[in-house]
Amino acid sequence: MAKTEIIKYNDCDNNRLRFYPTGFCSLPLPLRSVGNRYIRSVTNCGNIDMISSKFVPYGMYGRLALIAMTSLAKDTDAVTRTTDYDSLYLMLEKLNGKKPTGPQFNKFKNQLLALCTTLVTFNHISTNQRSVSNMILVDKATFLSMEKCGTKEYTGTIRFSETGYKFLNANAMPIPVKALHEIVQPFKFDVLVWLLVSLYPIRRGQRVMVPWLKLYEQYGVTEEVKKHNFRHTFSMVLDEVAEKYYPDARFSIDISRGGGIMLEASPRLLFKDDTCLTPIMPF
């Protein structure tokens, strides 16, 4: 079986894994800014409705903010549901694998702030996922700025809502750290997450066909003229992320209009600390 690189990292003497909520696999965050309201529906899957007093998180930094939030929830005590962080800059540096620039840090900070003010509604058709209505992930978030070594640093406290805490912990999926260090395009990240979650429940001898029609819905491709380009782009990106981050993934691609992606049982990625992982509950 294939093994990921070690995905634990040291942050203020705590070893933490990177996690992403599986609910945002079939119903991903928007790729670009959509303002303060975002709705997406997928047949035989469900729909998502996000409303924010700032803006709905989007792009790669919106996804990194969601990963940071989920990873913090995994490290937070279930009774207090409250966690302190000493450095928002260090948090992003660990996710990116390199020192972020000022503009990159500001994007991450703003996306995290937006995530703290966003109401999320998931209506699931599948019984594998619980539906939630008007969920706010955090009850209270404090961001304090201070001068540190000549630069502005942010520390603070996050108190997760009871519903948000349970949601993030029950649906946390580990992400290969190498992917977070290298992927800068949100679409590539979404395709990798889709592959990880889609292959997880397939057992030996099983094959599952995912038609292009469902993928059009999932990724918001509505114009007929764009569907041909989407099939080619998705196929190339899928091959690329599988080769780099999941080489033992087994699938085949039928790029024709009536085709799709045939998924087959694959060796699961092994993580260094399986005792920290909660079961993935895919669509």
Side-chain angles (χ1 to χ4, degrees):
M1 290 186 177
K3 290 187 177 182
T4 63
E5 295 184 5
I6 296 175
I7 66 172
K8 293 196 297 185
Y9 66 94
N10 292 321
D11 182 6
C12 302
D13 298 323
N14 291 319
N15 290 324
R16 293 173 178 167
L17 298 168
R18 276 79 157 211
F19 293 94
Y20 194 70
T22 58
F24 290 92
C25 164
S26 292
L27 298 166
L29 290 175
L31 297 177
R32 55 191 63 85
S33 177
V34 294
N36 61 3
R37 185 75 182 270
Y38 172 69
I39 300 174
R40 175 65 56 79
S41 298
V42 177
T43 303
N44 298 324
C45 173
N47 62 73
I48 184 174
D49 187 351
M50 303 178 72
I51 305 174
S52 176
S53 60
K54 294 182 177 294
F55 57 84
V56 172
Y58 65 91
M60 194 61 206
Y61 285 96
R63 286 153 175 79
L64 289 175
L66 190 52
I67 290 169
M69 191 75 76
T70 309
S71 300
L72 285 173
K74 292 288 293 182
D75 276 345
T76 301
D77 179 74
V79 177
T80 64
R81 304 194 310 276
T82 301
T83 185
D84 299 318
Y85 58 88
D86 295 328
S87 172
L88 200 59
Y89 184 92
L90 180 60
M91 190 185 299
L92 177 58
E93 181 180 342
K94 296 301 182 180
L95 289 171
N96 270 344
K98 54 185 177 294
K99 292 185 178 297
T101 64
Q104 289 172 335
F105 173 74
N106 285 329
K107 288 179 182 179
F108 175 70
K109 173 175 63 71
N110 291 335
Q111 293 285 342
L112 192 61
L113 284 168
L115 189 62
C116 291
T117 65
T118 299
L119 292 174
V120 183
T121 294
F122 274 110
N123 291 314
H124 297 295
I125 295 175
S126 170
T127 57
N128 287 333
Q129 292 263 11
R130 290 185 179 179
S131 296
V132 292
S133 180
N134 292 325
M135 172 183 65
I136 188 85
L137 293 176
V138 297
D139 284 333
K140 184 178 180 180
T142 304
F143 295 84
L144 303 174
S145 63
M146 57 180 291
E147 291 294 327
K148 187 176 181 180
C149 300
T151 60
K152 183 176 288 188
E153 181 57 278
Y154 286 84
T155 64
T157 300
I158 291 177
R159 175 177 168 82
F160 293 94
S161 69
E162 183 176 358
T163 303
Y165 180 82
K166 290 179 179 178
F167 171 82
L168 293 174
N169 275 277
N171 300 285
M173 178 188 67
I175 301 292
V177 66
K178 182 180 179 183
L180 292 181
H181 289 177
E182 296 178 354
I183 293 178
V184 296
Q185 298 175 336
F187 180 70
K188 285 187 178 181
F189 176 81
D190 287 348
V191 173
L192 174 61
V193 170
W194 174 85
L195 181 65
L196 290 170
V197 174
S198 298
L199 285 177
Y200 188 90
I202 301 176
R203 299 295 182 261
R204 182 178 298 179
Q206 290 182 326
R207 304 176 76 197
V208 175
M209 181 66 175
V210 182
W212 290 118
L213 288 175
K214 182 173 182 179
L215 292 170
Y216 294 153
E217 286 187 297
Q218 182 171 330
Y219 292 95
V221 182
T222 56
E223 298 179 32
E224 197 66 34
V225 68
K226 293 182 178 181
K227 292 181 178 179
H228 174 76
N229 290 337
F230 173 81
R231 295 197 300 272
H232 282 270
T233 301
F234 188 92
S235 299
M236 289 189 297
V237 171
L238 181 60
D239 281 334
E240 178 185 338
V241 297
E243 181 180 357
K244 286 185 177 181
Y245 312 115
Y246 198 170
D248 285 345
R250 296 171 184 167
F251 60 88
S252 57
I253 302 172
D254 180 353
I255 205 168
S256 67
R257 181 180 299 179
I261 313 296
M262 180 66 74
L263 303 171
E264 301 182 30
S266 305
R268 292 179 178 174
L269 290 174
L270 296 180
F271 294 88
K272 294 296 183 179
D273 190 356
D274 287 336
T275 60
C276 292
L277 309 184
T278 56
I280 295 175
M281 300 177 67
F283 291 105

